[in-house]
Amino acid sequence: DAKTTQPPSMDCAEGRAANLPCNHSTISGNEYVYWYRQIHSQGPQYIIHGLKNNETNEMASLIITEDRKSSTLILPHATLRDTAVYYCIVRPYGQNFVFGPGTRLSVLP
Amino acid sequence: EAGVTQFPSHSVIEKGQTVTLRCDPISGHDNLYWYRRVMGKEIKFLLHFVKESKQDESGMPNNRFLAERTGGTYSTLKVQPAELEDSGVYFCASSRYVAEDGYTFGSGTRLTVV
């Protein structure tokens, strides 16, 4: 079973930052937080991951709280192409990914 | 680099028939994974290859499913005989290391059993 809780859906205006929350209150010390997304009819796409420090790449930023019980994925300037289902996954080191229902993000023009 | 390639992209077969799905991972990726999403459910892990060896097949639903990766390159997933509940999208993914890296997924094969 997934170890994370995400809102089922969110809207975001095009050009604005999209902030997607994720709760993982039972996370263990060796578990990483990953974010994937699935755009309609495509395979899941890796976005970013982190252990305890905030991370940033060309796609997004990941903010993990100090107690590691929650995190936020930030898409700094959302576009219509960012409309997708976003999955927050807590994964023990080296184990397989367990996908939950995710958050359906709709970027609105 | 070329991504993970899956084919066919779509397959419609009758109940009781056999279907074989193929996945070509990214070159040099020793780790290959199969996942699937059946109607109304979440994406579920099926199995994991390291080169040609099955590292973890705990997600395989039953013995109608057979995965192979001869030579440690491409992989096939055979469903024989197919049942209606096997309908869904089958995803393949690969990674260079098991460690903390994310996987690269293919676009999936949509299987419809009628």
Side-chain angles (χ1 to χ4, degrees):
Chain A
D1 293 329
K3 301 180 180 180
T4 62
T5 303
Q6 300 177 250
S9 64
M10 292 181 61
D11 292 339
C12 176
E14 187 178 17
R16 304 297 293 267
N19 296 280
L20 291 92
C22 180
N23 286 323
H24 31 80
S25 59
T26 61
I27 193 170
S28 299
N30 67 343
E31 293 179 322
Y32 286 72
V33 180
Y34 290 78
W35 284 84
Y36 277 79
R37 71 180 182 183
Q38 187 176 20
I39 297 170
H40 181 62
S41 78
Q42 297 181 19
Q45 178 189 23
Y46 166 79
I47 301 173
I48 199 168
H49 75 279
L51 183 61
K52 52 184 176 181
N53 297 323
N54 298 336
E55 302 288 345
T56 295
N57 63 21
E58 65 278 5
M59 291 181 68
S61 294
L62 173 61
I63 308 299
I64 303 174
T65 58
E66 192 169 342
D67 63 7
R68 302 213 317 128
K69 293 185 176 182
S70 66
S71 61
T72 301
L73 178 74
I74 301 173
L75 308 178
H77 306 286
T79 71
L80 299 180
R81 287 176 293 182
D82 292 321
T83 291
V85 178
Y86 287 77
Y87 299 97
C88 170
I89 302 171
V90 166
R91 176 203 189 201
Y93 185 88
Q95 294 192 22
N96 300 304
F97 291 100
V98 177
F99 288 82
T103 294
R104 182 173 297 279
L105 175 69
S106 298
V107 180
L108 307 175
Chain B
E1 62 182 0
V4 176
T5 305
Q6 293 186 246
F7 49 93
S9 57
H10 293 82
S11 180
V12 181
I13 62 171
E14 293 184 352
K15 177 183 172 185
Q17 290 186 324
T18 297
V19 63
T20 300
L21 314 181
R22 172 168 169 151
C23 170
D24 285 69
I26 293 172
S27 178
H29 282 194
D30 287 341
N31 296 279
L32 187 149
Y33 315 84
W34 284 96
Y35 282 73
R36 75 171 181 175
R37 183 207 292 274
V38 295
M39 185 66 69
K41 301 289 183 61
E42 286 138 27
I43 299 171
K44 296 289 188 186
F45 166 78
L46 295 178
L47 89 160
H48 169 205
F49 283 101
V50 177
K51 297 185 180 179
E52 67 275 9
S53 299
K54 292 176 184 175
Q55 181 74 15
D56 180 356
E57 51 185 331
S58 60
M60 295 288 267
N62 52 61
N63 60 9
R64 295 186 294 103
F65 289 76
L66 175 63
E68 295 180 321
R69 192 182 181 196
T70 306
T73 54
Y74 71 90
S75 175
T76 58
L77 179 65
K78 180 189 290 187
V79 185
Q80 179 182 30
E83 299 290 345
L84 298 179
E85 64 264 25
D86 300 332
S87 295
V89 184
Y90 290 75
F91 295 105
C92 175
S94 71
S95 67
R96 189 176 299 275
Y97 307 111
V98 173
E100 77 274 14
D101 291 352
Y103 304 164
T104 301
F105 280 81
S107 296
T109 294
R110 180 173 295 279
L111 174 64
T112 303
V113 183
V114 298

